Amino acid sequence: MADPLQIAGFLAVIFAASFGAGIVGSLAGLGGGVFLVPLLTVGFGLDIHYAIGASIVSVIATSSGAAAAYVRDRITNLRIGMFLELATTTGAITGALVATFVQPRTLFLIFGAVLALSAVPLIRQIGEELPAGVRDDVWASRLRLAGTYPDAVHRRNVPYQVTRVPLGLGMMWIAGLISGLLGIGSGVFKVLAMDVGMRLPMKVSTTTSNFMIGVTAAASAGIYFGRGDVLPVVAAPVALGVLAGAGVGTRLLVRMRNNTLRQLFVPILLLISAEMILRGFGVRL
Amino acid sequence: MIGRIRPYLERSFEPLIATLLLGGVGVSAALLVLGLALFLVTGRSGYGEVATVAVLTGPSAASQYPHSIGSILRGVAELRSFAIVELGIVVLVATPVLRVAASVFLFLAEEDRVFVAVTVAVLVLLLSSIFLLH
């Protein structure tokens, strides 16, 4: 016999959790898998494959839902996003190709540690509302990557330049590699590449990351979908909850200071780093 | 000089991308709501006997639902609730891919050769990772 109340309750809890993940993800420029995967595996006892399938859906929903608003509001830098997608898609393919030859546990340890270390330059930048003294490098001026975004807090259009594009490309390749190999943590590396690497304003970094993560996730979504890892009863409330959450998050980001956003980002980065290191030691959350 | 022209060029560019993303998300959400509502009202997924959450998320759950576009569309035509949900997921996944494809044409319209090449390369890489790697 079907139990409609139990099923409705299950859908409601997943929707509510995804709503929260959607708010945080749309602010921080990531997909919210760091919150959803432990909830689904530990909370509901779901198989890790189903949880990662749901996480992929959440990444794509956050990306398209949030980017629709951020692109319209001209906070996302489309040219930077599309140029760097060259590196993320190449990285994702590399990851899928070498996946059979490498030990995921070692990689979780390495990238978890890299993330933890990257908190240092990020924390050092706290207090800096807008990057100062950044000049276009050769790549940035050739490709016309510099831009302007409207900042409601400062009540003006903020122009910015872009530096160390090759470093950004390299970090984006790693972000793609991680998503192809490990399935989590690619959004956080993208934000780092743009904020710490290319020195963009924090809002431009997280919104451009948001814009890009959907493409990175779509590259591997076909694999998960074809394997049957995307369960309708889980994916539907995840997608709807995340979309609703992204609707709220995008309204919040506009009114936030870059510095507040960075302060919000640091603990999330440390959480993702801890989750990766735990998995490296064989603890599956 | 070009830096001064750019903001005016993008004035037509960004609303188009934003509308495309919003459209994809809207169609997907409508299908997901419709499929879930049908499922809750009828109590049927359209695929096998639905008992509890445990059955819907259990180890054999994956094999019960359609995973190919053809079988999903057949299920939608037969008004199977989970086929409608799966079509919603397919539309969601297709949205970023369509966005990259649309960008190719937008950069073509701007006669920005470098970015036409960049977006074409991204599209080829993206499609090959979706269709070739599994």
Side-chain angles (χ1 to χ4, degrees), chain A residues 247-265:
Chain A
V248 175
T250 50
R251 284 176 178 81
L252 290 175
L253 179 128
V254 190
R255 296 191 208 115
M256 255 185 207
R257 299 179 68 83
N258 284 304
N259 204 32
T260 317
L261 199 58
R262 188 174 284 122
Q263 283 166 331
L264 178 91
F265 186 76

Side-chain angles (χ1 to χ4, degrees), chain A residues 50 74 79 85 144 146 211 228, chain B residues 2 6 14 58 62 99 112:
Chain A
Y50 294 154
R74 296 167 207 287
R79 295 176 72 86
E85 274 164 6
R144 290 186 281 129
F211 177 72
Chain B
I2 288 164
R6 212 191 113 226
E14 287 168 345
R99 187 268 286 169
D112 187 331

Side-chain angles (χ1 to χ4, degrees), chain B:
Chain B
M1 190 61 198
I2 288 164
R4 282 194 196 152
I5 299 169
R6 212 191 113 226
Y8 299 100
L9 288 175
E10 285 201 349
R11 207 141 283 181
S12 59
F13 199 130
E14 287 168 345
L16 284 170
I17 296 281
T19 308
L20 178 82
L21 291 173
L22 201 61
V25 162
V27 171
S28 164
L31 287 166
L32 293 175
V33 169
L34 195 71
L36 272 190
L38 189 67
F39 168 64
L40 286 174
V41 170
T42 61
R44 284 166 194 280
S45 71
Y47 300 92
E49 196 64 37
V50 174
T52 56
V53 171
V55 172
L56 286 169
T57 61
S60 62
S63 55
Q64 293 172 16
Y65 314 116
H67 305 130
S68 70
I69 305 289
S71 54
I72 290 173
L73 289 178
R74 268 196 303 282
V76 171
E78 291 156 3
L79 288 181
R80 297 173 192 257
S81 65
F82 273 21
I84 300 175
V85 168
E86 296 225 335
L87 185 63
I89 305 287
V90 170
V91 172
L92 190 68
V93 173
T95 302
V97 185
L98 285 175
R99 187 268 286 169
V100 175
S103 320
V104 175
F105 292 102
L106 292 172
F107 283 120
L108 264 176
E110 282 191 1
E111 294 177 8
D112 187 331
R113 282 191 207 156
V114 176
F115 267 78
V116 170
V118 165
T119 41
V120 165
V122 170
L123 189 63
V124 169
L125 288 167
L126 183 58
L127 292 176
S128 55
S129 70
I130 291 175
F131 293 107
L132 297 180
L133 286 179
H134 50 99

Side-chain angles (χ1 to χ4, degrees), chain A residues 180-227:
Chain A
L181 276 175
L182 308 178
I184 65 161
S186 88
V188 77
F189 270 90
K190 289 189 177 72
V191 176
L192 281 172
M194 289 183 279
D195 183 61
V196 178
M198 299 163 69
R199 306 283 286 116
L200 300 176
M202 191 63 179
K203 278 185 194 178
V204 179
S205 300
T206 67
T207 57
T208 306
S209 169
N210 246 317
F211 177 72
M212 297 174 66
I213 54 176
V215 167
T216 316
S220 44
I223 301 172
Y224 292 99
F225 197 80
R227 272 207 305 246

Side-chain angles (χ1 to χ4, degrees), chain A residues 101 162 184 239 241:
Chain A
F101 308 108
V162 186
I184 65 161

Side-chain angles (χ1 to χ4, degrees), chain A residues 7 17 29 39 52 68 74 78 84 93 95 102 114 176 212 229 237 278-279 281:
Chain A
I7 291 172
L39 173 88
I52 292 179
R74 296 167 207 287
L78 291 179
L84 294 176
I93 291 180
V102 291
V114 170
M212 297 174 66
D229 286 354
L278 278 177
R279 279 217 224 163
F281 284 117

